[in-house]
Each structure stands twice: as C-alpha cells, then as structure tokens.
Amino acid sequence: VQLQAYGGGLVQPGGSLRLSCAASENIFSVSTMGWYRRAPGKRSELVAAITSSGFITYADSGKGRFTISRDNAKNTVYLQMNGLKPEDTAVYYCNAPIRCLSGRYYSGDYWGQGTQVTVSS
C-alpha cells in the first residue's frame, strides 16, 4: 500500500494551498482517508478525515477554512486550505485507514511521506 502526498509549499498568511494524496486502489475504496499535521514541538493532530461514503470531520482549527474531498475515480483525497495562518505551518501527512471509535479518531498504518506547509510573510 502506498500513499503519495504532494502540494505543500510556502504561502503568505491568508493564502491557499491544495494538498493531494494518491492512494493504492486496494485501500482507497474501503478506507477512511485523512490528513494529520505535525508542527515543530507539537504532537500530531488530525486535520480532517473523510469516509468512503463521504462523511467528513474537521478539527476545530480548520473548520470554515479547510475542505477535504475525495475522487474515487482517481483514488485521490484532497485538502483545500484557505485563509492560511502562520499556526498552520506544519508537515502534513496523508493517512489511512483512519478509525473512529466512540467519537475518537485513530490513525491507520499507512502514511504518505509528508509535505511541508509554511505560512509566512
């Protein structure tokens, strides 16, 4: 199983980026996919997740600014990030299969290679 993430970069505050993660077909169609991020000196946090049927959850930090989506035909999940803030600076990782148990989310075994997002003027 492979996850290939890309789309990060340097952007000014208020700018936008779209992250993409291409997954092996054998995991994409049945898995909840999502994005985690890890900022320097901080723990990893779930940014957003989307189930195979399209149910979506967002961390409070991204609500109203981030949009996760998936294209089943392309085995790809996207994270559109608008209104970026310096505190969004982190390495973003694609992950699957994310599990939700009793309202808590747990990362899966497969990770993309990480893509750096830097928000700075």
Side-chain angles (χ1 to χ4, degrees), residues 19-98:
L19 306 184
S20 301
C21 176
S24 302
E25 183 176 358
N26 61 348
I27 190 172
F28 187 86
S29 64
V30 297
S31 293
T32 296
M33 307 288 293
W35 295 90
Y36 283 79
R37 68 184 183 186
R38 177 175 289 176
K42 296 185 178 181
R43 298 179 63 181
S44 294
E45 64 169 340
L46 177 67
V47 177
I50 182 169
T51 69
S52 56
S53 58
F55 180 81
I56 291 171
T57 189
Y58 294 104
D60 289 343
S61 58
K63 286 180 179 178
R65 300 187 298 126
F66 295 175
T67 302
I68 190 171
S69 61
R70 62 193 289 161
D71 184 334
N72 291 334
K74 296 181 179 180
N75 298 329
T76 301
V77 62
Y78 304 97
L79 184 67
Q80 177 67 43
M81 302 186 294
N82 299 327
L84 283 162
K85 305 174 181 179
E87 52 263 44
D88 294 317
T89 296
V91 180
Y92 286 69
Y93 297 91
C94 179
N95 180 254
I98 294 172

